[in-house]
Amino acid sequence: MNYRDIIVFDFETTGQNPYKCQPTQIAAVAIHARKLELQPGGIFESKMRCIVDDEKAIAAGFDPVEDKALEVTRKTRAEIAKGPMPKTVWKKFAQFCDKYNWKGTSFTAPIAAGYNINGYDMPIVERLCQAFGPVDEKKGKQKIFNPVFTMDVMQHVYCWFENNADVKGYSMDYLRDYFGMPKDNAHDALQDVKDTANILIKFLKMQRNLSKKIKFEKAFASGEIYVK
């Protein structure tokens, strides 16, 4: 049974490569592990300053700012050049997450959740932790989230819908339409994490109800197995 709180988070960035882009915004919501409700004070959001001169960005190890990324997030180069410094924002985000680590250990650290976080957002987390901390001294890895478990909502939805012919895609924009969610302010990090959190909670509530009715213990003891 999970007693670790869940931090649903999202970055808006300057490009598609999680190893070379710059974050322009980060947002997160903290969800109570058992109640599946927003924790008190459980909302975080901040803009993040970027290097908008492409030559300077490349010299600093980043990709140039992609105009398409700015179009999607409805931001300008002037706007993303004025946010708080990444180090300042990251320290505040780490403190926010630490509030929901009830024993202050890696085992009780909150579980990272989000949409396509395994393929996109978690590599950015790792980069920022390497740059600004915190890092596990023994393992050399990020120390904000639980080191073992994540809840990638895209993978979660796919597992439930992979046999559903009515589902035609897995982008958040498509799923908003499918679930009947408004698209107002989509691709703003805070709105995205709220939408993602609502989808995740919907599925977790369903799974918890189903798990009470389905017996998994010794399910293969009778010898009835699928792969021999």
Side-chain angles (χ1 to χ4, degrees):
M1 184 172 286
N2 177 44
Y3 291 99
R4 306 169 187 89
D5 284 342
I6 302 164
I7 305 288
V8 184
F9 75 100
D10 180 57
F11 290 104
E12 301 298 340
T13 69
T14 58
Q16 298 182 57
N17 185 345
Y19 301 97
K20 303 278 280 186
C21 67
Q22 299 178 73
T24 62
Q25 184 188 17
I26 182 173
V29 293
I31 305 300
H32 189 285
R34 301 312 311 152
K35 297 179 182 178
L36 297 180
E37 298 174 353
L38 183 67
Q39 282 278 33
I43 295 178
F44 180 93
E45 188 277 330
S46 180
K47 305 295 189 291
M48 297 178 76
R49 185 178 303 182
C50 300
I51 303 171
V52 296
D53 182 288
D54 288 341
E55 290 185 2
K56 292 180 179 179
I58 293 170
F62 302 116
D63 282 341
V65 176
E66 296 178 16
D67 291 334
K68 180 65 175 178
L70 298 182
E71 180 183 335
V72 169
T73 59
R74 300 180 299 278
K75 293 179 174 63
T76 66
R77 288 177 183 254
E79 289 172 334
I80 64 174
K82 294 179 181 177
M85 294 298 290
K87 182 176 182 179
T88 301
V89 175
W90 195 245
K91 293 292 185 183
K92 290 181 179 179
F93 179 68
Q95 292 169 1
F96 168 81
C97 293
D98 195 52
K99 291 192 304 181
Y100 305 101
N101 184 340
W102 46 280
K103 279 192 176 180
T105 69
S106 62
F107 180 77
T108 56
I111 294 176
Y115 205 82
N116 192 30
I117 59 166
N118 290 342
Y120 193 78
D121 300 86
M122 286 305 293
I124 300 174
V125 167
E126 196 64 61
R127 280 173 45 204
L128 291 170
C129 280
Q130 295 298 329
F132 308 125
V135 173
D136 185 305
E137 294 180 1
K138 292 182 179 179
K139 297 180 179 179
K141 300 291 186 179
Q142 64 84 19
K143 199 180 176 182
I144 290 178
F145 296 113
N146 186 277
V148 178
F149 304 109
T150 62
M151 293 184 179
D152 191 320
V153 178
M154 184 175 74
Q155 303 296 331
H156 207 83
V157 169
Y158 180 77
C159 284
W160 279 97
F161 286 167
E162 55 85 25
N163 194 43
N164 188 335
D166 293 334
V167 177
K168 307 300 183 184
Y170 292 96
S171 70
M172 271 300 294
D173 284 337
Y174 175 85
L175 291 177
R176 284 186 178 101
D177 287 336
Y178 184 82
F179 285 115
M181 306 171 80
K183 287 186 177 179
D184 300 342
N185 222 23
H187 301 294
D188 172 81
L190 184 55
Q191 186 61 53
D192 287 353
V193 295
K194 289 179 179 179
D195 291 346
T196 301
N198 280 316
I199 294 172
L200 176 62
I201 290 170
K202 180 75 172 178
F203 277 94
L204 290 178
K205 284 181 177 289
M206 177 188 66
Q207 288 169 207
R208 290 181 182 186
N209 286 330
L210 285 173
S211 68
K212 298 174 184 177
K213 303 173 183 177
I214 301 173
K215 183 178 178 180
F216 290 99
E217 186 177 3
K218 300 188 184 304
F220 297 111
S222 66
E224 183 181 350
I225 57 176
Y226 308 120
V227 179
K228 298 181 181 181

